[in-house]
Every structure is written in structure tokens, then in C-alpha cells.
Amino acid sequence: MSLRFASTFAALPAVTPFVGTEKTEQELGFRFSARLGANENQYGPSTNVVRAITNAAAEVWKYPDPDLHLLRGKLFERLGIPMSMIAIGEGIDGLLGITVRMFVEHGTPVVTSLGAYPTFPYHVNACGGQLHSVPYAGTFEDLSALLDNVVKTSARIVYVSNPDNPMGTFWSAAELQQFVENVPESCLICLDEAYVEYAEPNDVLPLSFTRPNLLRFRTFSKIHGLAGLRVGFAVGQDNLVRQFDKIRNHFGVNRLAEIAASAALDDREYITQMREKAVEGRAAIASAALRYGLDSVPSSANFVAIDCGRDGAYADAVLNGLIQKGVFIRKPNVAPLNRHIRISVGTPETTRIFGEALGQTLDKLA
Ligand SMILES: *Cc1c(COP(=O)(O)O)cnc(C)c1O
């Protein structure tokens, strides 16, 4: 008798969905001198946050609060969102997994963009969903084509990231609201706002904007510098958010993560500083690229997509050249995005290392 896996699970290919920075370092046999591939905040969390984690370290014998009362209260205090409209999870990645499990079973139609954030389709595949991937229009997620596809396929979920990853492009509040209002009520809109704090605040759809079929996802991994702690939240109407309680991992968000995230929300000045650092960092990356005649995509996030000016194979060669020089970056793999490389905002020092390595790489390929 052999083991009998669930049929949806057994049908999955045995792929490694995500190759970590550490694994790449192990394979190369050296450590990266600039870690610019995962859009982490190189400045780390604020000193107030570090102090809060340090002070709480000896308390980790206690289980975390499964209701995350402290953090949900802080989100209400800082963002004005009622606690009943907030679900906390192990980062956006964890929350997307639960959301997909709520709606997707074998053959369920789901719409996303071709080349968009890969964790979403990863979860859809795990549930046996039927993915419909819509090509980008230039460097933007194509909202009208996404909408057409939702209607055509009777999709149960549509995923949109704003600002977008990997391109950093951004739809303003008015454009996004129009899209949301046109999506049929039978289709859940997963609006991933991992980078929203980096966008121009006046252009962001207010967090108080809700719809019965809208979930908005935010994270402490990016601007708050807490990627290693794994905490994020979803905002939606009460009766939708309450559904998370049926299947979420109740102790999944750890005690230190809750304390750190709560302290991070209090440190408004740090958030402003990090936004300013990102604006400077984006400009520094774009000017490093321009020095070698390469254009960049205007970004509303903490990374910049640089157009390598030729085909995808050439951009792959640029990426590999940079990696060999100790600069870790990533790039999209599908057209029309694949002629770009994606560089995370670093410190002035890591951006300088990148610029130097880019020049040497391009010379070598010329
Ligand atoms: C980085 C990123 C995330 C990851 O968020 P976590 O809270 O760390 O899981 C989600 N969505 C997008 C588009 C991202 O780029």
C-alpha cells in the first residue's frame, strides 16, 4: 500500500516555487555584497521597534494572543479601521493563501496578470484553480483587460497589486476605484498594497474605501523593515474578514511580530523617513542606469525596473553578470516585462556597488 495524497495535491508539479537569497549564495559559494533582490528595507526597523522586540524577548515562553488585540487596536488607532474589519496573518503571503483556500477549488476560474507577484498563482495552483493570466499593457497591469477576463471567465477572484511588483507602476485612486466598481460582485478583488506607503499619499485610494467583494492587503515587511518577522494584515468588510477565523493558523503570527508591528505603527516619523529614503534611492538607481544609457520605469515602490534596451535574453545576461559580481537582484521572466531587471532601493553604499557592477557587466556584454 502506498500513501494516498489528495488528488489536487498529487497533480501538482514538484517545483521549487521560490529560490531564496541564501540558497543562491550557497550555490555561488560567496555572500552578496549588495542584497537588492527582495525589496527588503535595508535600513531595517526603527530603533524604537528594535527596543520593543528586545524588551519582549524574554516573554516568548508565552503563546501569542490569537486575537492579535494589541495590533488590531493599534491599526484602529493609527489607520482608523475598525478592529472587526482587520485580519492579521503571517505576511501578505500567508493571508493570500487563506483567501485562496476560501474561494478556490478544483477548476475555479481566477484572474491575475502574466508576470505579476508569483505567490498568488502559487496558492491558486495548490487549490487546483484555473488561472487566467492577462499580459501587462506596457509596464502597467492592464485593468480593462483584467476586467474583460473576469467577466468572460466568471472568475471568482481577481488579483491586482498597486503599486505593481515587478514594475513599480501605480494606478491612482480614481482609476482603481473605477476598476473595483466595475468588477461583478460575485468576484473577490484581492488588492495587494505591499508597497502602498511608498506611493504619493494623495493618490492612494483611502483605506476607508470598502466593498463587499474587496480585500486589501498590507504588510510590515517593506516600509517597516520587518520582513523576517512575517506579519501583515487584510482589510475588508466585517462578514468577509470574519471568514478568516474558520481556517487561519490562530497562533501563526508570533508574539514578537505583533509587538514589533504595533511599535512600528507608532513610529510615524520613521515611516516618513523611509519614504524619503526610497524617493532618493529610486532616483539614485535611475541615474546609475542612465549613466549607461538605460531608461527606468517611474516607480511608486521601493525598487526600480530598468529597461536593458534589448530582449529578455540580454536582460538575463545582465542579471547573471550582476549576480556574479556579488549584486543580488531579480527580474521578470515573461514578455513584455522580461527586458527589465528589478533593483531594490538600497543604502547609498549598496546602490553605489550596484552602479559599479552594472557598468562592468554592460562593458563585458558589449
Ligand atoms: C513583498 C511582497 C509581498 C510580501 O508580503 P509579506 O507580507 O512579506 O508576505 C506581497 N505582495 C507583493 C506584491 C510583494 O512584492
Side-chain angles (χ1 to χ4, degrees), residues 69-355:
H69 198 268
L70 170 73
L71 180 52
R72 287 191 304 131
K74 194 58 79 177
L75 285 164
F76 171 60
E77 188 185 320
R78 291 297 178 197
L79 303 178
I81 301 302
M83 289 169 71
S84 60
M85 292 177 59
I86 301 167
I88 314 276
E90 301 97 304
I92 293 177
D93 287 5
L95 288 161
L96 285 175
I98 298 171
T99 307
V100 167
R101 280 170 60 202
M102 284 187 215
F103 289 92
V104 178
E105 53 208 332
H106 187 75
T108 302
V110 175
V111 170
T112 185
S113 298
L114 184 63
Y117 189 60
T119 304
F120 178 73
Y122 169 69
H123 289 309
V124 173
N125 286 331
C127 292
Q130 180 69 51
L131 271 170
H132 299 273
S133 301
V134 177
Y136 279 58
T139 57
F140 280 77
E141 290 191 34
D142 189 340
L143 294 184
S144 64
L146 286 167
L147 187 59
D148 287 349
N149 255 267
V150 165
V151 173
K152 197 174 73 193
T153 65
S154 304
R156 234 184 263 182
I157 307 186
V158 59
Y159 172 90
V160 173
S161 177
N162 197 52
D164 169 66
N165 177 13
M167 304 312 282
T169 49
F170 181 73
W171 289 108
S172 71
E175 291 158 317
L176 196 58
Q177 181 170 345
Q178 196 190 7
F179 169 77
V180 168
E181 284 172 350
N182 283 324
V183 170
E185 275 174 24
S186 56
C187 178
L188 177 77
I189 303 152
C190 282
L191 177 56
D192 184 336
E193 301 186 305
Y195 302 98
V196 79
E197 298 89 349
Y198 295 105
E200 174 54 44
N202 293 330
D203 290 343
V204 174
L205 192 65
L207 197 51
S208 56
F209 176 88
T210 69
R211 285 290 180 272
N213 61 333
L214 176 64
L215 275 177
R216 301 175 65 169
F217 296 87
R218 297 198 174 185
T219 183
F220 291 90
S221 298
K222 305 287 156 63
I223 201 158
H224 299 289
L226 294 170
L229 277 185
R230 314 303 308 127
V231 54
F233 60 101
V235 175
Q237 293 187 357
D238 301 18
N239 49 358
L240 178 55
V241 162
R242 209 178 308 128
Q243 305 300 321
F244 281 89
D245 282 334
K246 293 184 187 168
I247 53 168
R248 75 188 171 95
N249 183 7
H250 290 89
F251 295 104
V253 176
N254 71 76
R255 199 172 183 86
L256 295 183
E258 182 183 21
I259 289 169
S262 303
L265 289 169
D266 275 339
D267 210 334
R268 287 186 162 174
E269 198 181 315
Y270 191 73
I271 301 170
T272 307
Q273 275 175 25
M274 290 303 105
R275 185 181 299 126
E276 286 163 3
K277 296 275 188 210
V279 171
E280 289 166 19
R282 292 191 310 234
I285 294 167
S287 77
L290 201 57
R291 207 170 304 141
Y292 307 105
L294 302 183
D295 287 330
S296 301
V297 180
S299 170
S300 296
N302 68 341
F303 57 84
V304 175
I306 296 173
D307 186 347
C308 292
R310 296 198 217 166
D311 60 2
Y314 179 73
D316 285 348
V318 176
L319 173 127
N320 287 327
L322 285 164
I323 285 183
Q324 291 302 329
K325 295 203 177 309
V327 176
F328 175 62
I329 62 159
R330 289 206 171 98
K331 71 175 289 297
N333 290 319
V334 295
L337 314 178
N338 58 348
R339 42 188 281 165
H340 297 81
I341 52 174
R342 192 197 67 186
I343 320 298
S344 306
V345 163
T347 60
E349 175 60 6
T350 48
T351 303
R352 188 193 59 73
I353 292 171
F354 158 72

